[in-house]
Amino acid sequence: MKWIGQHIWNLISRFRTTVYLENLETSTETNILVVDSDGKVTKNANAGDDMSFTVEDGDTTDVVISDGKHWKFKEGGGININWTDTSTGSSTDEYDLTFTLSKTLSDLLQDASHTIRGVAPHDVLIQSAQSLKFQIDYDESSTAGTHTFDFINGAGSTVATIDESGVPTFSIGGKGSAASSVVVDGGSGSLTSRTLTEFKSDASLSNVENKSSATIRGEIVDSDIPNLNASKINAGTLGDAQIPNLNVSKITAGTFDSDRVKQICVTTHNFQLSNNTSIKNYVPFNNLNESTNGGPMTNYWTRTLAPYPGTIKKIAVRSQTSLGSSCELRISKITDTTDKLEDGTHVDNTSIDLSTAQTTVITTMNTNSFAAGDAIGVALQRSAGSSAQVILTIVWEYTT
């Protein structure tokens, strides 16, 4: 069937299968054709305005986005939002909206001060399988500054500080507070809580006044204790400041013998030295004349008995005249049942220059030792010159 021109059909018509509308014109109309459940075709004049949807935020606030309305993703909080793909919108080429951080975590932390806080009853736990580092006063130059690492309690008081050199300072309570606690490492590797009074007692710090804070650095060892200087004592007497007697039960390493006190003793010998350059002259201990040899016991004045074990540290010699530039000093010792010093054990110091008259020459003796009860003698052999009056001083070190 074919009509030329317009044809008005005022009857109900049904079309089966496919219907084609050809050469349709375009318009601005918003009406659309809709089909009901019976297949009836009608016009919906409002369908163009019904294209809307609802979005809801995290606070459950709803916003309806209707036809012709715009929804904007607003940047903020360090987040950039940009379309990174605006074609074609198909299921295989979607539109891409990308969210990126405008700053790194490092940038965010540098912008202002930050607080990491655990609210009771929850703790803040920081764990690391590698080294955990806290670095303060850091800038791009990596140069150390003057800021400190502070530990602050709940009341806002600083209880401990680590300075730029790594030296810790711990607060140990108010002045005079016996209940103030301080942590002490007893050397066992474990930390023990001690009161200030107990800590002072443990460390024998009876002369240390209570302070609100104290700086503790490392461990005090024997080498850290300087020799006493009487001129530096501004209160009391030297006797008051002396180190107490050693207690053998407190020695945790070595033996008591190795920690005994060293005592220095000095003896002076004045005698007439012969002009013989080929013999060793043993100096007298209670006589004005030397002995030309170690001699038998009849030369009793050439020896002394050691009351303690020890050593001869130095010998000083001063002569009335020149004794030569290649003189020799000898230390001889004999034990019980031996009569002559020359039959004993000897330690020699050679090439001693005593060529200048009225001049003191001090010689540090080579390694030597003697036991308590040994008989000790000291000999001097000249290398030139004539007989002379000699002063000889011996420095003894006893282990008492």
Side-chain angles (χ1 to χ4, degrees), residues 65-178:
I65 309 298
S66 60
D67 184 41
K69 303 299 182 181
H70 294 266
W71 175 12
K72 179 180 180 180
F73 289 86
K74 189 175 181 180
E75 297 179 346
I79 298 177
N80 288 333
I81 305 172
N82 293 290
W83 289 107
T84 55
D85 186 356
T86 56
S87 65
T88 59
S90 66
S91 60
T92 57
D93 185 12
E94 301 89 347
Y95 298 135
D96 294 336
L97 185 63
T98 303
F99 296 76
T100 58
L101 293 175
S102 61
K103 294 184 178 181
T104 65
L105 178 59
S106 177
D107 294 331
L108 294 174
L109 291 177
Q110 291 179 28
D111 283 346
S113 298
H114 300 276
T115 300
I116 301 175
R117 182 181 181 186
V119 180
H122 306 291
D123 296 329
V124 175
L125 180 62
I126 301 175
Q127 294 179 321
S128 174
Q130 301 295 325
S131 299
L132 186 62
K133 299 180 180 180
F134 295 89
Q135 189 169 3
I136 60 174
D137 208 13
Y138 174 81
D139 56 26
E140 294 301 324
S141 65
S142 300
T143 302
T146 58
H147 294 132
T148 60
F149 190 80
D150 296 332
F151 297 85
I152 302 174
N153 64 14
S157 300
T158 300
V159 296
T161 297
I162 301 177
D163 68 15
E164 69 277 7
S165 300
V167 178
T169 300
F170 301 92
S171 175
I172 54 177
K175 181 178 177 67
S177 174

Side-chain angles (χ1 to χ4, degrees), residues 149-212:
F149 190 80
D150 296 332
F151 297 85
I152 302 174
N153 64 14
S157 300
T158 300
V159 296
T161 297
I162 301 177
D163 68 15
E164 69 277 7
S165 300
V167 178
T169 300
F170 301 92
S171 175
I172 54 177
K175 181 178 177 67
S177 174
S180 301
S181 295
V182 64
V183 176
V184 180
D185 185 354
S188 61
S190 61
L191 297 178
T192 305
S193 179
R194 307 289 286 170
T195 66
L196 181 57
T197 301
E198 291 171 333
F199 174 69
K200 288 171 59 180
S201 175
D202 292 344
S204 298
L205 300 177
S206 58
N207 292 325
V208 177
E209 181 185 7
N210 295 337
K211 298 292 184 182
S212 60

Side-chain angles (χ1 to χ4, degrees), residues 273-287:
L273 185 64
S274 69
N275 59 2
N276 193 329
T277 61
S278 62
I279 61 174
K280 290 179 173 57
N281 300 278
Y282 282 85
V283 303
F285 280 81
N286 60 348
N287 202 324

